[in-house]
Amino acid sequence: MKSHLKVCSTDLAGYPYQNPHYLQTRKRINYLVDRYLSVEILSDRLFDTIDQFENPCPRRWELIDWHGIVPSQIVGVQPELFCRIIAGAAEIEAPISAYAKESWEYLQHFHPQMARFLGGTFDDNGAVLELGVWQKEERQHSPTFKKIYNVLTGEKLFTIPNSVQGYCSTGDLRQDVYNHMISRISTEWGAIAVYLWLMAHSTGTLQQAIAQPLQDEVNHLTKFWGFCRWAFSESYFHQLKGSTNNLISLLKHHQYERTHGKDILSSANISRAVELSFIFTRVMVRLRRWNWELSPSTLLHLYGNPPKFS
Ligand SMILES: [Fe+2]
Ligand SMILES: [Fe+2]
């Protein structure tokens, strides 16, 4: 019994099955959702917003033991597919500096503190004075996944950055910010789902490395979610509620479509698509459960008086 517990403690997804079947993989996914997206953790990350507005500071990462990562830590899936998903993960939010500037442009007049959290600050000539916390956290992700890919395959990964549109005004600021934040939420949500899938299919040092960006994404998702609840009350939630299909269509309309994410949503990898759908649903159920806890007074405390639109 003692040695069994010891083995479990090295696997962040619970019991380390050697070759898990679908139900065992689901068990691992549920374990990860409970571990990294508990209602307590989600609330803690949301309340951290106050500190981040006053004293911006990126979340600290645990050290990654790069020499400890080996291909045998891939669990229950072909290493080729696992590495393709790692390659896709490296492209999800790249190029981050352009995304950060884009978010700043949308938010600068709407909520300057949130604009600073995402995009930092600029001088009158547009030169960067300070990077946003979101950008500082995100800019570690792509290099991390590239390095994991390199360690697992021995090959260098060349990523194709997404094209970033920048601020496109329709003349309706509320609608513009709404659409922009929904796309940010869907990207964070998609990243969380993909990283959870990778963690359910890995163990040891490899899994611990992926846990670092995962926790950043949970941090971002809670802050963006809370912000949208504050700014748009329940109306935005109705757009996100519903089935997994809803989220997948959101993702397909976003940049993730052009990454390897479509590989695991295609019928060629039907069992992987089923697992990913299960993760989307689990995360959604957890967020909806947490959403009940968000009171208007809490959101007022975090973000100030809700914006008024004529
Ligand atoms: Fe990221
Ligand atoms: Fe993110």
Side-chain angles (χ1 to χ4, degrees):
M1 189 62 189
K2 230 177 174 179
S3 64
H4 166 79
L5 284 174
K6 196 165 171 240
V7 172
C8 286
S9 68
T10 63
D11 194 307
L12 300 170
Y15 190 77
Y17 302 99
Q18 282 226 316
N19 202 5
H21 55 63
Y22 174 63
L23 287 179
Q24 290 168 336
T25 300
R26 268 176 59 150
K27 219 168 153 186
R28 286 172 64 76
I29 292 165
N30 283 333
Y31 195 98
L32 288 168
V33 170
D34 284 343
R35 182 174 202 135
Y36 292 103
L37 289 109
S38 68
V39 168
E40 292 73 27
I41 288 174
L42 299 176
S43 292
D44 177 73
R45 293 295 81 208
L46 180 68
F47 295 141
D48 172 62
T49 304
I50 292 182
D51 286 344
Q52 292 304 332
F53 285 167
E54 283 172 9
N55 185 19
C57 182
R59 210 185 60 81
R60 280 171 71 103
W61 278 26
E62 285 167 33
L63 278 180
I64 296 173
D65 173 17
W66 291 106
H67 296 293
I69 295 179
V70 287
S72 60
Q73 290 166 339
I74 298 169
V75 173
V77 66
Q78 292 291 322
E80 294 74 25
L81 177 62
F82 187 91
C83 290
R84 281 220 314 275
I85 305 306
I86 289 281
E91 290 179 349
I92 294 178
E93 286 161 305
I96 190 60
S97 57
Y99 280 127
K101 184 78 196 299
E102 183 185 54
S103 289
W104 183 85
E105 287 167 352
Y106 275 99
L107 292 166
Q108 60 169 321
H109 299 304
F110 190 84
H111 196 282
Q113 287 174 305
M114 200 61 176
R116 183 183 177 207
F117 175 79
L118 277 117
T121 52
F122 300 86
D123 70 14
D124 291 344
N125 299 318
V128 177
L129 294 173
E130 168 202 55
L131 296 179
V133 170
W134 181 65
Q135 181 177 355
K136 283 184 182 170
E137 293 182 350
E138 289 292 353
R139 67 178 174 167
Q140 303 183 86
H141 297 178
S142 188
T144 299
F145 284 109
K146 281 184 180 175
K147 198 161 174 182
I148 292 172
Y149 185 91
N150 178 254
V151 172
L152 289 175
T153 65
E155 292 168 16
K156 208 166 155 50
L157 176 68
F158 295 96
T159 50
I160 307 164
N162 302 288
S163 55
V164 182
Q165 278 196 314
Y167 180 40
C168 302
S169 173
T170 62
D172 181 345
L173 182 63
R174 181 184 195 275
Q175 196 59 41
D176 290 344
V177 173
Y178 178 85
N179 291 341
H180 179 71
M181 291 309 292
I182 290 290
S183 84
R184 284 285 176 269
I185 284 176
S186 69
T187 307
E188 299 294 347
W189 195 329
I192 287 171
V194 171
Y195 301 174
L196 286 173
W197 185 88
L198 288 166
M199 287 183 71
H201 284 290
S202 59
T203 190
T205 318
L206 171 60
Q207 189 189 42
Q208 285 163 17
I210 301 164
Q212 303 313 311
L214 172 78
Q215 290 169 84
D216 285 347
E217 310 300 19
V218 171
N219 185 30
H220 305 154
L221 182 61
T222 56
K223 290 177 170 72
F224 299 169
W225 182 282
F227 180 74
C228 284
R229 262 294 301 271
W230 166 80
F232 309 111
S233 73
E234 287 292 335
S235 63
Y236 101 98
F237 186 61
H238 290 302
Q239 180 162 335
L240 283 174
K241 75 171 189 187
S243 67
T244 307
N245 292 341
N246 199 348
L247 178 66
I248 288 175
S249 64
L250 271 171
L251 279 171
K252 281 185 174 168
H253 281 100
H254 201 51
Q255 78 267 24
Y256 196 64
E257 183 190 23
R258 282 179 280 119
T259 73
H260 301 251
K262 63 186 170 189
D263 288 347
I264 43 176
L265 297 174
S266 74
S267 56
N269 286 298
I270 191 73
S271 57
R272 305 305 161 209
V274 169
E275 288 171 3
L276 199 67
S277 294
F278 177 73
I279 298 174
F280 284 144
T281 308
R282 289 301 307 156
V283 173
M284 180 182 289
V285 167
R286 182 55 52 88
L287 285 169
R288 291 176 78 170
R289 162 73 189 81
W290 173 61
N291 190 58
W292 300 340
E293 313 252 325
L294 302 182
S295 68
S297 61
T298 300
L299 297 169
L300 190 83
H301 179 57
L302 294 172
Y303 299 105
N305 288 322
K308 292 205 167 37
F309 301 97
S310 48

